[in-house]
Amino acid sequence: MKLLDGIKLAKKTKKNIRQKVANYVTEGKRAPHLAAVLVGEDPASNAYVKMKIKDCEEVGFKSTLIKKDADISEKELLEIVHELNENKELDGYIVQLPLPKHINEDKILQAIDPQKDVDGFHPTNVGKMALGLETFLPATPFGVMRLLEDYDIATSGKKCVVLGRSNIVGRPMSILMSQPGKHANSTVTICHSGTKNLEEFTQEADIIISAIGKPHFLTSEMVKEGVIIIDVGINRVYDESKKDYKLVGDVDFENIKSKADYITPVPGGVGPMTRAMLLENTLLAYKRFAQ
Ligand code: NDP
């Protein structure tokens, strides 16, 4: 079993970005600039945005946090989005999800200028991704693809099962894995809550990418020897021995690891790569507009 170390690769990626930014600044150019819009007090969203701001500092990006109360109206939020679209000093921005129930998320995401949509959630960018055109790839699937590439994992012609079909992870993941390319080109099956006898698919799979959000969902009996496991899931569970909460993936790591050729840990696998890929997307936006 070989561990796919997302912390190590994210560090290498950030070092690379930091060097590029330092070169731009030495040449007298401005640093890349990422903004984050955070609505409400959801603790997880707060924590994610804080980490994103910290990542920006680490690589020398400028960052701006726009924090709004949960009772902001959809109209006011749309005005902020329009201002950010017009801001010539800003390369990209994200609107942290989820948004409060009274705000139509799709409406907000569709109002973001696709050229600044570094989360890659705008339909224009999703369409470009599906067509294999250069665009901002959603950070989590992008991070998984980078891991596969960096570890030079043979994926071509392999049976890949993606668990989950969300717009931010499962669906884009299935599209990217099925596209031509040395570290893609898999035969992809996408499973979801409507899938019958799911283990029949996972038992046949050479590669399993799980993005379900259920702790220890994928068990040892559900996979074959030599499988490659990418665990996207992040689940908070109570650890009786430590009398505290801990994060676990969708995969029963301890029991599956001896069967797997490669496996991502949780934490320390896909999570750090997701953060690093947002920086990559911001750098791409910067290169397009600020040069
Ligand atoms: P969603 O809840 O949006 O999607 C979950 C998907 O899993 C849905 O498609 C759902 O099916 C499917 N599903 C749920 N239960 C089952 C089941 N019993 N059998 C088969 N399919 C099932 O979650 P996300 O995609 O946003 O996130 C998934 C996980 O990944 C979460 O744990 C999240 O925290 C984590 N995550 C991690 C990131 C990282 O950086 N590591 C980034 C983003 C998310 P259906 O569509 O039919 O409802």
Side-chain angles (χ1 to χ4, degrees):
M1 181 276 289
K2 196 159 183 223
L3 216 55
L4 297 169
D5 188 341
I7 296 178
K8 201 165 123 198
L9 182 55
K11 250 190 203 156
K12 189 169 102 180
T13 308
K14 284 197 265 188
K15 192 175 164 207
N16 224 324
I17 296 174
R18 191 165 57 237
Q19 189 55 56
K20 284 182 184 153
V21 175
N23 291 345
Y24 291 135
V25 173
T26 307
E27 289 166 13
K29 294 174 179 153
R30 69 167 175 81
H33 182 189
L34 174 74
V37 182
L38 176 62
V39 180
E41 294 299 332
D42 177 59
S45 294
N46 261 283
Y48 289 143
V49 168
K50 247 190 210 160
M51 290 193 286
K52 288 169 188 176
I53 301 277
K54 190 174 150 275
D55 289 337
C56 284
E57 283 165 11
E58 225 182 292
V59 297
F61 286 4
K62 183 179 171 190
S63 62
T64 301
L65 172 62
I66 299 153
K67 207 166 180 300
K68 293 287 161 191
D69 291 338
D71 63 358
I72 187 174
S73 70
E74 187 177 280
K75 187 166 167 277
E76 283 169 313
L77 189 56
L78 278 171
E79 276 162 18
I80 292 171
V81 165
H82 292 311
E83 277 166 27
L84 293 173
N85 287 345
E86 295 304 317
N87 185 339
K88 299 275 183 284
E89 297 294 305
L90 183 68
D91 301 295
Y93 67 98
I94 59 155
V95 178
Q96 184 66 42
L97 302 179
L99 291 170
K101 294 270 175 289
H102 66 279
I103 296 175
N104 182 333
E105 253 175 34
D106 286 339
K107 207 165 161 183
I108 301 297
L109 293 181
Q110 288 177 31
I112 295 175
D113 179 349
Q115 309 273 24
K116 289 189 173 183
D117 167 42
V118 285
D119 259 340
F121 295 160
H122 190 283
T124 298
N125 290 324
V126 177
K128 283 186 173 177
M129 175 195 60
L131 295 172
L133 302 172
E134 191 204 60
T135 188
F136 303 117
L137 300 179
T140 302
F142 189 8
V144 172
M145 299 311 287
R146 267 291 170 84
L147 268 174
L148 296 172
E149 194 185 314
D150 196 76
Y151 280 84
D152 196 20
I153 292 178
T155 55
S156 184
K158 297 287 168 70
K159 288 183 195 163
C160 173
V161 167
V162 177
L163 303 178
R165 59 176 163 189
S166 75
N167 289 340
I168 63 166
V169 191
R171 194 175 304 280
M173 199 67 258
S174 69
I175 294 169
L176 294 174
M177 285 303 290
S178 70
Q179 276 171 346
K182 186 172 174 221
H183 298 101
N185 212 32
S186 294
T187 303
V188 178
T189 305
I190 183 160
C191 298
H192 43 76
S193 65
T195 302
K196 300 236 180 341
N197 305 323
L198 186 134
E199 63 283 356
E200 285 177 11
F201 297 96
T202 56
Q203 278 159 356
E204 288 286 309
D206 302 307
I207 304 164
I208 300 175
I209 304 175
S210 185
I212 281 191
K214 290 204 163 38
H216 298 164
F217 177 86
L218 193 74
T219 58
S220 172
E221 307 73 60
M222 294 167 77
V223 307
K224 68 176 185 187
E225 289 285 341
V227 66
I228 292 158
I229 304 266
I230 308 286
D231 191 354
V232 179
I234 301 178
N235 308 290
R236 204 165 160 262
V237 296
Y238 192 71
D239 183 348
E240 197 50 60
S241 67
K242 296 199 173 112
K243 302 273 176 241
D244 202 359
Y245 285 91
K246 64 171 183 180
L247 295 182
V248 299
D250 289 349
V251 174
D252 183 1
F253 183 89
E254 282 310 317
N255 292 312
I256 281 190
K257 67 180 182 193
S258 58
K259 264 181 137 175
D261 271 1
Y262 290 91
I263 187 165
T264 57
V266 176
V270 178
M273 288 308 296
T274 297
R275 287 167 58 185
M277 293 306 103
L278 177 64
L279 300 173
E280 282 283 18
N281 278 343
T282 306
L283 190 67
L284 176 64
Y286 172 81
K287 283 186 196 157
R288 283 179 179 173
F289 309 117
Q291 303 288 302

